[in-house]
C-alpha cells in the first residue's frame, strides 16, 4: 500500500502591478528580445538562459496568459486590470509554512519581476545596460547595511544619501522584501539598484550578496566609470563568487 502524496498548494512568490495592458506584458514574457530588457542582467550566457527558461522549458497558454516553467512547479500569470496588469509568480508546493525560507530561485523571481514592472513603469521597456556583482561579505554585515540602505524608507518614498561608492545619491524606494531591497537611482538615467542578502549559513558564514545595477541612457564612458567605482568599492568589501557558489 503506497503512502498518500503530500497535499500541495499554491504560494504567490511575488505579485506586482505593471502600468501596461496585459497584451504588452504578455509579449514581454514571450518575446526573447523583450525578455532581455528586464530579465536577469547582461552576461554572455543571457541569451541561452532566456531560451532555456522561457522557450525550451516553458509551456505558454495564451488564453489564460500563463507561462508554466517545467521542472520547478513555477508559473507566471498575467491578469488584466484595465490599462494595467497584475503579474505574479506562483509556486505549487507541499502544504506548510514557507515564510522563513531562503531560496535563490524565489529571490530571483522577486528581483526579475520587480525589474519587469520598473522597465514598463519608468522606461516603456527601453533597452538597458546593467552591472552585476555577487559574493560573500568580508565581514558579517548585510549588503544593505554596507550600501547604506539598511534604514531605507517604505516602498514609494523618496530616499537620498550615500550609496556604496557614491557620496550622494537620490531616488525612490521601488520595493522591499524580506531578503532584498530595490531603489531607483536618479543618476543612472533613472536606473534601479537591487540588493539581495542571503543570510549566513554553515557554508556561507558571512552570508552572500548580489547587486544588480540597471542603467538607462549612459554612454560608454559613463558606464565604464560607474563600473570602475563600484568594482573598487566591491573588491574592498566582498569576496567575488558566482551565484550558487
Amino acid at each position: 500500500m503506497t503512502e498518500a502524496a503530500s497535499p500541495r498548494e499554491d504560494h504567490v512568490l511575488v505579485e506586482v502591478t505593471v502600468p501596461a495592458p496585459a497584451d504588452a506584458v504578455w509579449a514581454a514574457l514571450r518575446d526573447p528580445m523583450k525578455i532581455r530588457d528586464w530579465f536577469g542582467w547582461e552576461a554572455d550566457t543571457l541569451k541561452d538562459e532566456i531560451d532555456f527558461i522561457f522557450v525550451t522549458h516553458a509551456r505558454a497558454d495564451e488564453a489564460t496568459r500563463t507561462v508554466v516553467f517545467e521542472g520547478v512547479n513555477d508559473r507566471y500569470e498575467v491578469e488584466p486590470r484595465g490599462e494595467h496588469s497584475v503579474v505574479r509568480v506562483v509556486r505549487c508546493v507541499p502544504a506548510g509554512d514557507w515564510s522563513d525560507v531562503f531560496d535563490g530561485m524565489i529571490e530571483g523571481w522577486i528581483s526579475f519581476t520587480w525589474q519587469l514592472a520598473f522597465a514598463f513603469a519608468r522606461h516603456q521597456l527601453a533597452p538597458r545596460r546593467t552591472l552585476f556583482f555577487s559574493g560573500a561579505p568580508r565581514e558579517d554585515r548585510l549588503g544593505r547595511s554596507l550600501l547604506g540602505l539598511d534604514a531605507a524608507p517604505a516602498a514609494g518614498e523618496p530616499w537620498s544619501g550615500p550609496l556604496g561608492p557614491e557620496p550622494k545619491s537620490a531616488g525612490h524606494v521601488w520595493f522591499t522584501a524580506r531578503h532584498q531591497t530595490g531603489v531607483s537611482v536618479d543618476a543612472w538615467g533613472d536606473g534601479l539598484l537591487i540588493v539581495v542578502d542571503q543570510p549566513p549559513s554553515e557554508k556561507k558564514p558571512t552570508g552572500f550578496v548580489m547587486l544588480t545595477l540597471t542603467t538607462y541612457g549612459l554612454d560608454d564612458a559613463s558606464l565604464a566609470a560607474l563600473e570602475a567605482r563600484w568594482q573598487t568599492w566591491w573588491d574592498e568589501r566582498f569576496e567575488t563568487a558566482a551565484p550558487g557558489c
Side-chain angles (χ1 to χ4, degrees):
M1 195 174 205
T2 59
E3 187 176 337
S6 300
R8 303 180 73 85
E9 58 189 18
D10 284 347
H11 280 257
V12 176
L13 306 182
V14 58
E15 180 175 286
V16 303
T17 298
V18 178
D23 286 346
V25 176
W26 179 249
L29 289 173
R30 301 307 304 137
D31 182 343
M33 294 303 295
K34 295 180 185 294
I35 294 170
R36 67 182 298 114
D37 290 329
W38 61 268
F39 179 79
W41 50 84
E42 288 177 82
D44 293 339
T45 58
L46 181 59
K47 180 183 183 300
D48 292 339
E49 290 174 11
I50 289 171
D51 288 343
F52 183 88
I53 296 169
F54 288 90
V55 180
T56 308
H57 293 84
R59 291 181 286 108
D61 186 333
E62 194 150 354
T64 61
R65 296 192 182 94
T66 301
V67 182
V68 177
F69 300 101
E70 297 177 357
V72 292
N73 295 316
D74 295 346
R75 66 182 186 270
Y76 257 121
E77 299 177 349
V78 179
E79 179 184 332
R81 295 277 180 89
E83 290 302 306
H84 292 167
S85 306
V86 172
V87 180
R88 64 181 67 90
V89 180
V90 180
R91 173 170 289 185
C92 185
V93 295
D97 182 9
W98 288 77
S99 60
D100 197 34
V101 173
F102 183 93
D103 180 292
M105 186 175 290
I106 291 175
E107 298 305 318
W109 287 133
I110 293 171
S111 296
F112 304 150
T113 305
W114 279 109
Q115 288 177 184
L116 169 66
F118 188 86
F120 270 107
R122 300 296 187 90
H123 299 281
Q124 293 77 53
L125 212 63
R128 60 179 184 158
R129 303 182 77 178
T130 65
L131 302 174
F132 179 76
F133 302 90
S134 63
R138 296 182 187 275
E139 57 180 299
D140 188 3
R141 290 179 63 190
L142 294 175
R144 284 169 286 188
S145 173
L146 291 165
L147 283 160
L149 292 174
D150 48 338
E157 295 294 321
W159 72 274
S160 62
L163 182 69
E166 314 297 344
K168 183 68 173 178
S169 294
H172 284 77
V173 178
W174 184 238
F175 76 94
T176 60
R178 182 178 179 86
H179 298 293
Q180 55 183 295
T181 299
V183 296
S184 68
V185 182
D186 295 345
W188 302 349
D190 189 19
L192 179 67
L193 168 69
I194 294 180
V195 51
V196 179
D197 282 309
Q198 181 175 344
S201 63
E202 183 177 347
K203 184 178 179 182
K204 299 174 180 176
T206 61
F208 197 85
V209 176
M210 292 184 291
L211 304 182
T212 306
L213 289 66
T214 299
T215 73
Y216 293 90
L218 297 190
D219 59 28
D220 290 345
S222 297
L223 187 67
L226 179 70
E227 182 174 20
R229 290 196 304 275
W230 279 79
Q231 189 70 64
T232 298
W233 177 88
W234 175 269
D235 289 342
E236 292 172 352
R237 294 163 179 80
F238 298 87
E239 298 282 355
T240 296
C245 293

